[in-house]
Amino acid sequence: MINPIKNYLTGFRYSLPVQLFLLHFKKYQVLLLIWFILFSTVNGTFMHRFGAHILFLYPEYSGKTNALSAMLVGVGVGIFVICWNITTFILHSRQFKFLAATTQPFLKYCINNFILPTLFLAFYLEEAVRFARLQELLPYSTIFALAIGFLAGFAFVIAASFLYFFGADKTIYQRMSPRDKVSLARKHHPSHKKPSAKEQRIRVDWYFSATFRLRQPRRVSHYSDDFLENIFGQHHLAAIFSILFVFAALIIAGYLQDSVYLQLPAGSITVFFAVLVAGIGGFSHFMRAWSIPFALLIFLGVNVLYQQNILDPRNTAYGLTYNKGNVADYNETALLHAASSTAIAADSLAYIGMLEKWKAKQKEAHPVFVMAAVSGGGTRASTFTVNVMRLLDSTTEGGFMHHNFAVAGASGGMLGAAWYRELYWKKTKGELSNIYTADFTDAIANDLLNPVFSSFITRDLMSPPQYFSYAGKRFKKDRGYAFEQSLNRNTHGWMNKPMSAYANAETNAVIPQLFLSAVITRDGRRVFFNNHSARFLTRPFLSDSNAHVAYPDAIDFKSFFRNQDAAKLNFLSALRMNATFPYILPNVWLPAEPVIDVMDAGFRDNTGLETATRFMAFFREWLSANCSKVVLIQIRDKREGGWDSPYESTNIFDLITKPALLTQNNLFRFQEYAQLQQWNLLEQLYGSLLQRIVFEYSPQRKEDAASLSFHLTKREKKDIEQSLANSANRHAFTYTCQLLK
């Protein structure tokens, strides 16, 4: 009994599928890294915070998820699998010379190289079904349609590819010399002996035929080496043409990215991976031992092009002037001059004038002053912010927005605040009658992730630069442009205007001020984007009136870049700079010398509390003399106190990484501790006049918390809406109504 089992195991061990599977791990392990990224992305362990798994598990196409969108993902996966087979066929086919003596060598190679693709397909379908059922709450009939769509797209690419290679086989045969055709005809009468060790570099006892039957490899010693090389070479040439076609398709898609019909993120990601696999494989095949030195040489060459500004991947703010002879000086002297006492006094007088106009619109002699602070946190923060503002405004019969003088914050929360402010402004102008409908909340909750990833692959990585015109200037299209275009579509094009379009309404206290900001990566200072210069925000709040004047830790955008057309900055660009999360969106370069670029405001003030504290501290005398209450309404996308997602050691490697990652993982907690301390000092100055009301998004179950990405699932949207009704938020709503109604 032992011998049959041993023979079976030996036959399995030396079958072509197993040998190919092991060969992938033995050589060119870098290609397996692409598979690892795919598996871990679908599993949600790679780039989960950015929502990368959603692109695969619940793909959107033209704003909808259906069998067509799933089919397009299947097409992308099919292209990746074919390119994977093509690349490894080129790299490994000479290890198995017997394939050259069969009909359709590439087809047989693909059939026997099935292990990794099959594992991924099974894994993907399982994860996609689970996600659709648990996160998108879809019925099984819809899930079945999505699965069929995916498999249909995958099968279409596989079938089309094999038809292409069948045609290539016929072409190869037609091009052979008569002598080679005679040599090839011998394969119909081959020896049944197994290939010798000299003929076969890797032992193979069995392989699957085109009809999925087990076959033994046959000897090829009666074929000349030139003949076998000719067969493989012709197939390799046909394979290279197919890869070049895929590469060209990505470049064309990059040129046509403005069309929503070509924004195929999951499909474009897998197609890019296909090209990447082909590139790595081709590089390794042709360069062999020189691969690493040549790769380093390419890197050094690209770096030289970057240093000479020949290769310039930097993103710009749309509307600003970027001329080498017209840049702002960014140095200590300029910083101190911009934050001088004279400049601060001038700005403060302008804001006191706006505060007086705000007060004149109130019914009371001493009204309740309201300022809002909204936190960052992707689409979940913007959706929660709009939900809270909408409910506050409706329950107070418009009192919330009527009393609200300003909003500060970061990232997603400011996207939501800007959108609700736009709706409120349209209502005051009579352009909208009802701004409390769910459709407006759904608009800001719509997907922003798909076009960003699609543009990153097809434009940023693959296509030559493309440009568009705005305010008489030329700007480059990249994923930052795609983000703004997508946000513009989701919000009906209503916020696509210069920042200055809001200036008059803000001056007359018709709508709240919006204190947008971003962090300068060069030194960690902030830049404030306002229609009205607010240089009083550029110095920290000091509770001790006898202390020395604080050193400026921020700049005011409008005054600092007035010669670079700061007033023409597109409002969507200001929102994007406020929400420029690393890697997802590109850092924005500002026209200064030395060059400075900015990123997400959340790295300095993710809740808006620091900005609000500075404003209230600076105008304490006016607010105390003119208002009955000074209220900060804080809208947060996570619990206060730093109890969410603590940084915990889970393995021995954390002993090495923990010191380096400690600040990164606790950044927002460090902010919160310092900001709450500032708030406590402000409370001592104001006394009972000052109050803070907090609204928090708190998931019903910790494991179901909405992600921080620019995409929300149906379950996440439902959970955000339900969190408005928890006991803490109900109490906050009730208390706010008592103050404002």
Side-chain angles (χ1 to χ4, degrees):
M1 183 68 182
I2 296 177
N3 285 335
I5 295 176
K6 182 178 180 181
N7 292 336
Y8 175 80
L9 292 176
T10 301
F12 177 78
R13 166 68 177 81
Y14 292 108
S15 65
L16 182 57
V18 174
Q19 291 289 57
L20 281 173
F21 183 73
L22 295 176
L23 188 60
H24 296 325
F25 285 89
K26 183 178 179 182
K27 292 189 174 183
Y28 308 113
Q29 296 88 351
V30 67
L31 296 180
L32 292 177
L33 179 63
I34 308 297
W35 279 108
F36 173 77
I37 293 174
L38 275 176
F39 273 96
S40 57
T41 300
V42 170
N43 189 42
T45 55
F46 179 73
M47 295 184 72
H48 179 270
R49 293 185 63 189
F50 303 145
H53 62 298
I54 300 173
L55 300 174
F56 287 89
L57 301 179
Y58 194 69
E60 286 192 10
Y61 175 64
S62 189
K64 298 178 181 179
T65 299
N66 48 33
L68 177 60
S69 64
M71 184 188 73
L72 294 172
V73 176
V75 168
V77 173
I79 291 174
F80 172 76
V81 169
I82 287 296
C83 285
W84 158 261
N85 280 319
I86 288 172
T87 302
T88 55
F89 177 70
I90 293 173
L91 293 174
H92 302 322
S93 56
R94 289 181 176 84
Q95 306 283 343
F96 310 100
K97 290 188 176 182
F98 69 89
L99 287 175
T102 66
T103 55
Q104 292 92 37
F106 179 69
L107 171 62
K108 291 182 174 62
Y109 179 87
C110 291
I111 291 173
N112 288 274
N113 195 32
F114 71 90
I115 295 180
L116 269 175
T118 303
L119 287 175
F120 178 76
L121 285 178
F123 180 73
Y124 171 81
L125 288 172
E126 178 190 6
E127 291 293 325
V129 169
R130 181 186 305 168
F131 185 86
R133 186 62 182 168
L134 299 180
Q135 294 298 324
E136 294 296 341
L137 311 177
L138 298 180
Y140 282 113
S141 58
T142 304
I143 296 173
F144 180 75
L146 293 176
I148 292 299
F150 172 82
L151 292 174
F154 180 82
F156 170 77
V157 171
I158 300 300
S161 301
F162 285 157
L163 286 174
Y164 166 74
F165 279 99
F166 288 159
D169 270 324
K170 293 179 182 179
T171 304
I172 291 170
Y173 185 78
Q174 292 169 356
R175 291 180 178 177
M176 286 182 182
S177 65
R179 179 181 176 183
D180 285 340
K181 290 182 179 180
V182 172
S183 180
L184 182 61
R186 294 178 188 172
K187 76 184 182 78
H188 296 294
H189 305 283
S191 168
H192 286 274
K193 294 181 181 180
K194 294 182 179 180
S196 64
K198 185 177 180 181
E199 293 180 62
Q200 195 170 223
R201 299 180 185 181
I202 297 177
R203 176 180 170 182
V204 174
D205 294 344
W206 303 94
Y207 72 96
F208 285 107
S209 69
T211 57
F212 297 95
R213 295 181 181 179
L214 287 175
R215 291 284 187 265
Q216 287 185 319
R218 294 172 175 177
R219 301 189 64 173
V220 291
S221 58
H222 50 290
Y223 298 117
S224 68
D225 288 339
D226 290 341
F227 171 75
L228 295 176
E229 287 296 322
N230 181 46
I231 294 293
F232 281 132
Q234 293 289 341
H235 276 86
H236 294 171
L237 187 62
I240 290 171
F241 279 130
S242 64
I243 290 175
L244 290 176
F245 173 79
V246 172
F247 182 80
L250 270 182
I251 294 177
I252 293 172
Y255 275 104
L256 302 175
Q257 267 300 291
D258 287 341
S259 171
V260 294
Y261 299 108
L262 285 176
Q263 294 175 1
L264 316 172
S268 60
I269 290 172
T270 49
V271 172
F272 171 72
F273 282 168
V275 174
L276 189 62
V277 164
I280 294 173
F283 192 78
S284 301
H285 177 72
F286 291 108
M287 301 308 299
R288 300 185 184 277
W290 290 94
S291 295
I292 294 178
F294 196 74
L296 290 174
L297 186 63
I298 291 176
F299 174 78
L300 292 174
V302 170
N303 188 51
V304 170
L305 294 176
Y306 176 76
Q307 291 175 337
Q308 298 299 319
N309 291 326
I310 299 173
L311 182 65
D312 189 1
R314 293 177 297 189
N315 179 271
T316 52
Y318 309 143
L320 289 187
T321 296
Y322 289 86
N323 293 332
K324 292 183 179 179
N326 180 22
V327 295
D329 292 327
Y330 187 78
N331 50 45
E332 185 176 21
T333 302
L335 203 68
L336 292 172
H337 176 74
S340 66
S341 57
T342 303
I344 290 175
D347 291 352
S348 64
L349 288 175
Y351 270 81
I352 287 176
M354 288 183 276
L355 285 167
E356 292 287 355
K357 291 180 179 180
W358 168 85
K359 182 184 176 182
K361 289 180 176 293
Q362 309 305 317
K363 297 179 181 179
E364 306 87 356
H366 288 77
V368 175
F369 175 87
V370 173
M371 185 172 181
V374 298
S375 74
T379 304
R380 84 176 184 192
S382 58
T383 304
F384 184 66
T385 297
V386 171
N387 270 305
V388 171
M389 287 187 164
R390 183 186 67 168
L391 192 54
L392 266 178
D393 207 34
S394 62
T395 54
T396 59
E397 299 177 356
F400 166 66
M401 290 299 286
H402 186 70
H403 286 79
N404 188 3
F405 180 79
V407 183
S411 196
M414 291 302 275
L415 294 180
W419 174 232
Y420 192 78
R421 186 183 75 156
E422 180 68 34
L423 297 175
Y424 175 75
W425 192 24
K426 285 189 173 294
K427 182 183 177 182
T428 62
K429 293 187 293 183
E431 297 177 10
L432 290 175
S433 58
N434 182 10
I435 63 174
Y436 305 133
T437 63
D439 291 342
F440 291 129
T441 305
D442 293 339
I444 202 65
N446 283 337
D447 176 69
L448 292 170
L449 194 64
N450 284 1
V452 171
F453 266 88
S454 182
S455 181
F456 175 67
I457 296 297
T458 58
R459 273 192 179 137
D460 296 24
L461 296 180
M462 300 299 298
S463 298
Q466 302 166 54
Y467 299 91
F468 73 101
S469 295
Y470 175 77
K473 307 175 186 73
R474 193 176 77 149
F475 299 95
K476 186 168 62 176
K477 294 180 179 180
D478 57 10
R479 64 188 188 278
Y481 171 80
F483 175 85
E484 290 190 24
Q485 292 298 303
S486 183
L487 178 60
N488 187 44
R489 283 192 298 269
N490 291 351
T491 54
H492 312 298
W494 293 345
M495 295 193 294
N496 185 19
K497 62 189 77 171
M499 282 194 66
S500 57
Y502 296 98
N504 188 56
E506 292 175 352
T507 300
N508 294 300
V510 176
I511 58 176
Q513 305 282 330
L514 212 61
F515 292 132
L516 295 166
S517 65
V519 174
I520 300 171
T521 60
R522 182 182 182 87
D523 52 24
R525 288 184 171 86
R526 284 198 291 172
V527 51
F528 284 100
F529 303 97
N530 310 297
N531 274 312
H532 312 281
S533 294
R535 282 169 283 191
F536 48 81
L537 292 176
T538 62
R539 294 184 184 270
F541 154 57
L542 296 176
S543 60
D544 187 356
S545 60
N546 295 320
H548 293 290
V549 177
Y551 198 84
D553 63 353
I555 61 174
D556 175 76
F557 176 80
K558 184 179 180 183
S559 58
F560 205 87
F561 293 100
R562 61 183 177 276
N563 295 327
Q564 289 75 38
D565 291 334
K568 295 182 180 179
L569 175 69
N570 188 285
F571 184 58
L572 293 175
S573 290
L575 289 174
R576 175 164 61 90
M577 285 187 278
N578 185 258
T580 300
F581 199 82
Y583 304 114
I584 295 297
L585 293 173
N587 288 6
V588 180
W589 162 46
L590 296 179
E593 178 61 40
V595 171
I596 59 174
D597 60 285
V598 298
M599 62 192 302
D600 199 299
F603 285 90
R604 273 285 305 270
D605 184 14
N606 192 54
T607 63
L609 186 59
E610 181 180 342
T611 303
T613 301
R614 287 192 185 188
F615 183 89
M616 291 178 174
F618 190 85
F619 292 102
R620 179 171 61 89
E621 292 183 6
W622 189 94
L623 292 173
S624 299
N626 291 275
C627 300
S628 60
K629 289 286 184 183
V630 177
V631 179
L632 177 67
I633 293 181
Q634 196 171 1
I635 304 173
R636 302 170 49 94
D637 78 318
K638 60 175 67 69
R639 288 178 58 198
E640 192 171 79
W643 293 106
D644 290 336
S645 304
Y647 182 45
E648 298 175 336
S649 298
T650 57
N651 55 61
I652 195 170
F653 294 104
D654 287 334
L655 296 176
I656 301 173
T657 61
K658 189 172 183 177
L661 298 178
L662 179 64
T663 300
Q664 174 186 337
N665 285 275
N666 290 304
L667 175 63
F668 297 145
R669 295 181 179 87
F670 293 159
Q671 281 184 20
E672 189 172 277
Y673 303 149
Q675 290 169 2
L676 288 176
Q677 183 181 17
Q678 290 180 334
W679 181 260
N680 289 335
L681 293 173
L682 191 64
E683 283 182 319
Q684 295 175 20
L685 295 176
Y686 268 100
S688 61
L689 189 69
L690 185 67
Q691 295 195 16
R692 183 169 68 105
I693 304 172
V694 180
F695 294 88
E696 292 179 339
Y697 163 60
S698 180
Q700 291 186 318
R701 296 194 311 165
K702 185 178 180 180
E703 57 271 22
D704 291 334
S707 65
L708 288 171
S709 73
F710 286 122
H711 183 100
L712 290 177
T713 67
K714 287 183 180 178
R715 177 180 288 277
E716 290 171 342
K717 292 177 183 178
K718 185 177 179 181
D719 189 62
I720 289 172
E721 186 176 354
Q722 290 175 340
S723 70
L724 297 172
N726 65 38
S727 58
N729 287 335
R730 284 203 310 269
H731 176 74
F733 276 117
T734 301
Y735 184 65
T736 307
C737 287
Q738 292 173 356
L739 285 175
L740 302 180
K741 189 173 181 180

